[in-house]
Amino acid sequence: MKRAEDLQELLRRIDHRGYPAYKDTQGSYQFGTYVLSIDHVQGDPFAAPSKVSIHISGQKAGFPKDMIQKKHTRTALADALIRRFGKEAEQHSHKAKGSGKSGLLSVSRPGQEVLERSACEIDPDTGNLTVRLEIGFPANGRTINAGELSKILFRFLPDCVQRSLFYANSDKKHLEQVRQLAEDQQYIREQLAERKLAAFVADGAVLPRESGISDRPMKQAVSFRTPPSMEVTMELPYKGAIKGMGIPQGITLIVGGGYHGKSTLLKALERGVYNHIAGDGREYVITDDTAVKIRAEDGRSIKQTDISMFINGLPNGKDTKAFTTEDASGSTSQAANVIEAMEAGTRLFLIDEDTSATNFMIRDELMARVVHKEMEPITPFIDRVEELYESYGISTILVAGSCGSYFYKADHIIQMMQYEPSEITEMAKKEAERFLDFAKDKPVIPKAEPPYFHRLFAPDKKAAGSDRIKIKGMGKDAVSIDRDTVELRYVEQLADSEQTMALGYMVKYARQRLFDGKRDLKETAQMLEKLVNEKGIGAVCDGKYLPCNLAVPRVQEIFACLNRCRGLSAVRGK
Ligand code: ADP
Ligand code: MG
């Protein structure tokens, strides 16, 4: 291994030369307590900054075993280290001067969720720590300014590393709190299944966010209060007993007047599939982590999806057992979203009337009388919601502001009133009974055949032979793989643009190595999940270095992404 002095020597040599001479710095250097690795050097000062990683042995880093052995505490520790390291680095960013991105020090900026990220990885067995960041190598015009890079690599960076990446120098109390929170959150997750709950919302939780563009907690929000009839107590291993609302498995309806906090509650449940940092307000809002938000998504592409459970006999004679379109309608898109979520193994649907296709959700009695059944291809969700629970074990939590028909189907009804929930199941059911008359002569809907999931992708010869497939992230909303743009704006449980980016790499990996004409979508998605789970996100990136801006998505989002790639065509397997 080269030494830090070798790098210093090299920098002196290439000072004032043309920018490409920076390429010679690529490699690993021993810096006393850590190894600095220059993984990729930018082509010019205006290009994407250079990729650098820091490697510290577990022995030197010294984090306690109980923080790194279990996945949930390890992820929480890595998250805390990124935040700390990022704060340190930020203070030094652009202190070294020059043209273009000179002097930039860029570290992943996690939001409110705690996600596994390539920015910081900890080996569970050895405790070895890797931190990845980007640095703008300084230049004057296009001439190397090695003195400024020296400042960064020999003064700023060692400082940041020393202060934030060694247990001995860290705020031990804070890290212990991080570990305990992760353990408590994990405990609630495990309790959900045990107690047959779909979700838990703790008393005192703060659900609303600061604004439409800020995910921080709203200041002066009305904090959550549990309706007595739905109260459950969780004996957390560290925080002790907490009370909150347990939403049982089955069918739950959230009703209430406009602006009373229905969608805010549902949104918090959507994000409850992830753990949140201390101070977020949703630390103890925990949802079954297979939950999928279902919404209408006009215009999405659908490939060979069996939506016949909901839609049959389309006017154009299209086969709904293998439905394919480049431009789905509200109802067909929502039907496909349901079926694909079933395929992805969800146990809980989260639906908001605000973002649903009405004709997918219900069928009005009067409309049913006027437009004859034979002329209506849609069996609405309301006619399947019980079947989905009874035959497939999938619960539904549904926000309904205007449509009362679901009162008949719901096991539990929660009313939001000035941001406070109360359980009104009995009262609402009574009211509903008085209306039963008109539902009397409703025909019994026969059970649907279970959806057929088996869809195959042909080997992608072009992708397999190419090492030039470019992945370009467009924030959280889309990623383009080899110029095929995958729209993910309505995949609402993607929490971070780094997850979107990671999905891009997964699609690329699948196209290059997994599609073989035999493996179906489910196997493909599960293989990607397993690979990343066992070997880290780097397992699906085959480049010379691992990008520092990837976060691990859930298998549900891997499915969602594969299902939305317009560039892929599927065939229905036998
Ligand atoms: P609904 O879906 O019932 O129409 P929303 O959930 O969209 O209502 O909430 C309406 C507004 O109230 C939003 O601006 C939201 O931020 C705010 N809000 C929601 N819950 C709370 C709360 N607990 N405290 C204060 N404001 C809230
Ligand atoms: Mg709403």
Side-chain angles (χ1 to χ4, degrees):
M1 166 116 36
K2 287 178 278 190
R3 297 164 312 146
E5 296 79 47
D6 299 329
L7 178 60
Q8 216 148 21
E9 168 77 33
L10 171 65
L11 287 179
R12 268 196 290 273
R13 227 174 31 239
I14 61 173
D15 198 14
H16 302 305
R17 286 179 41 194
Y19 205 82
Y22 261 147
K23 293 268 178 204
D24 294 348
T25 61
Q26 212 158 297
S28 299
Y29 304 90
Q30 183 70 53
F31 267 69
T33 51
Y34 66 92
V35 171
L36 169 79
S37 169
I38 299 176
D39 300 321
H40 173 79
V41 179
Q42 63 201 101
D44 71 78
F46 301 89
S50 303
K51 317 293 182 240
V52 169
S53 52
I54 310 281
H55 305 262
I56 306 176
S57 75
Q59 217 180 13
K60 292 220 169 73
F63 292 98
K65 277 214 155 50
D66 65 349
M67 286 189 183
I68 55 184
Q69 273 166 344
K70 291 184 223 158
K71 181 152 196 167
H72 53 274
T73 55
R74 185 167 69 248
T75 304
L77 170 63
D79 177 84
L81 294 181
I82 298 169
R83 289 173 201 265
R84 184 86 201 95
F85 182 71
K87 267 208 189 108
E88 293 288 342
E90 202 176 85
Q91 295 176 21
H92 295 293
S93 190
H94 287 300
K95 282 230 183 106
K97 302 267 185 270
S99 48
K101 302 208 167 75
S102 289
L104 174 77
L105 282 179
S106 163
V107 179
S108 171
R109 288 165 156 258
Q112 299 296 101
E113 283 82 19
V114 177
L115 304 173
E116 241 183 295
R117 293 173 194 272
S118 61
C120 178
E121 290 186 314
I122 304 170
D123 186 297
D125 302 319
T126 60
N128 291 350
L129 181 69
T130 304
V131 169
R132 299 184 174 86
L133 71 155
E134 293 183 323
I135 298 179
F137 281 16
N140 299 322
R142 287 191 158 78
T143 308
I144 287 179
N145 187 339
E148 292 296 284
L149 184 57
S150 269
K151 256 199 225 165
I152 298 175
L153 300 182
F154 291 91
R155 275 182 32 212
F156 302 163
L157 206 51
D159 219 38
C160 299
V161 172
Q162 289 307 336
R163 280 168 192 262
S164 54
L165 302 181
F166 292 91
Y167 185 61
N169 307 339
S170 60
D171 180 346
K172 298 185 184 66
K173 200 168 139 213
H174 171 67
L175 291 184
E176 176 60 11
Q177 284 165 349
V178 165
R179 183 187 74 83
Q180 294 187 356
L181 177 59
E183 291 280 26
D184 283 348
Q185 290 166 331
Q186 181 66 17
Y187 175 83
I188 301 175
R189 278 191 199 289
E190 285 160 12
Q191 283 295 304
L192 288 184
E194 198 141 302
R195 303 194 195 187
K196 298 200 173 354
L197 296 176
F200 175 79
V201 184
D203 250 357
V206 173
L207 309 187
R209 300 293 97 191
E210 199 169 59
S211 76
I213 51 163
S214 162
D215 208 25
R216 289 172 196 273
M218 177 188 275
K219 295 181 188 94
Q220 275 137 20
V222 177
S223 53
F224 190 82
R225 244 183 43 203
T226 306
S229 60
M230 296 181 81
E231 184 178 286
V232 296
T233 303
M234 296 272 179
E235 296 284 345
L236 305 187
Y238 294 99
K239 194 182 160 70
I242 62 168
K243 290 185 191 315
M245 176 172 80
I247 302 181
Q249 294 172 357
I251 301 161
T252 304
L253 202 58
I254 301 170
V255 300
Y259 224 68
H260 280 262
K262 303 182 297 297
S263 299
T264 303
L265 171 56
L266 193 79
K267 281 228 160 65
L269 295 173
E270 288 166 26
R271 287 302 174 88
V273 301
Y274 305 112
N275 287 347
H276 289 90
I277 53 169
D280 173 80
R282 299 169 295 182
E283 296 94 310
Y284 308 105
V285 178
I286 304 283
T287 310
D288 181 323
D289 56 16
T290 67
V292 176
K293 169 74 176 285
I294 301 290
R295 57 167 293 158
E297 195 180 339
D298 306 38
R300 67 157 282 193
S301 68
I302 297 174
K303 21 181 150 289
Q304 308 283 336
T305 302
D306 178 2
I307 56 171
S308 62
M309 182 182 259
F310 298 104
I311 299 176
N312 276 296
L314 287 178
N316 56 7
K318 249 188 160 176
D319 180 10
T320 55
K321 282 194 160 300
F323 189 73
T324 299
T325 179
E326 284 302 315
D327 183 10
S329 67
S331 56
T332 51
S333 63
Q334 200 163 353
N337 286 348
V338 169
I339 301 298
E340 289 166 1
M342 290 171 79
E343 185 175 12
T346 191
R347 294 183 297 261
L348 174 63
F349 294 132
L350 301 170
I351 307 181
D352 195 331
E353 197 188 73
D354 289 356
T355 50
S356 291
T358 310
N359 60 348
F360 176 76
M361 294 307 294
I362 50 162
R363 204 156 132 71
D364 181 84
E365 279 314 304
L366 181 54
M367 188 60 87
R369 273 166 212 260
V370 176
V371 178
H372 202 259
K373 172 84 186 115
E374 271 80 73
M375 290 294 116
E376 177 50 74
I378 303 174
T379 305
F381 189 77
I382 191 165
D383 288 335
R384 296 278 184 230
V385 65
E386 290 163 305
E387 183 180 345
L388 283 165
Y389 183 58
E390 280 152 22
S391 304
Y392 303 89
I394 306 175
S395 300
T396 295
I397 299 175
L398 170 74
V399 167
S402 67
C403 133
S405 323
Y406 278 90
F407 283 140
Y408 298 105
K409 309 284 177 172
D411 301 313
H412 295 275
I413 303 167
I414 300 165
Q415 179 174 12
M416 294 303 289
M417 225 152 68
Q418 279 154 356
Y419 315 127
E420 260 187 38
S422 53
E423 200 204 341
I424 57 158
T425 312
E426 222 171 283
M427 183 272 275
K429 289 267 181 194
K430 255 194 207 128
E431 280 303 309
E433 252 164 49
R434 305 203 326 193
F435 274 77
L436 254 186
D437 269 4
F438 80 129
K440 256 190 204 136
D441 46 59
K442 247 195 126 175
V444 178
I445 310 284
K447 271 197 177 182
E449 264 179 56
Y452 188 79
F453 291 139
H454 194 43
R455 291 174 289 156
L456 313 173
F457 292 97
D460 188 338
K461 289 205 190 83
K462 191 172 144 248
S466 161
D467 55 357
R468 295 187 162 261
I469 295 187
K470 273 238 160 74
I471 296 162
K472 203 166 155 255
M474 298 165 208
K476 207 168 70 176
D477 291 349
V479 58
S480 120
I481 305 119
D482 205 12
R483 273 172 279 165
D484 175 22
T485 299
V486 188
E487 277 274 349
L488 297 167
R489 180 171 319 158
Y490 297 127
V491 178
E492 292 178 314
Q493 286 166 295
L494 273 176
D496 195 296
S497 59
E498 294 193 358
Q499 288 180 312
T500 309
M501 196 68 186
L503 287 171
Y505 281 92
M506 289 181 162
V507 171
K508 174 180 168 185
Y509 187 91
R511 284 177 55 177
Q512 290 187 319
R513 304 181 194 213
L514 300 182
F515 295 153
D516 60 358
K518 291 185 225 77
R519 199 174 275 132
D520 70 11
L521 184 76
K522 185 167 188 154
E523 287 171 279
T524 306
Q526 286 175 344
M527 278 181 81
L528 288 166
E529 185 201 19
K530 189 156 170 263
L531 253 174
V532 169
N533 202 3
E534 283 171 4
K535 299 193 183 143
I537 188 69
V540 293
C541 307
D542 56 358
K544 293 183 198 79
Y545 62 91
L546 178 56
C548 61
N549 59 348
L550 303 178
V552 176
R554 298 185 307 158
V555 71
Q556 281 73 21
E557 278 71 38
I558 302 177
F559 265 90
C561 182
L562 289 169
N563 274 316
R564 284 165 180 75
C565 293
R566 289 178 195 269
L568 302 180
S569 54
V571 294
R572 200 175 134 94
K574 298 261 161 8

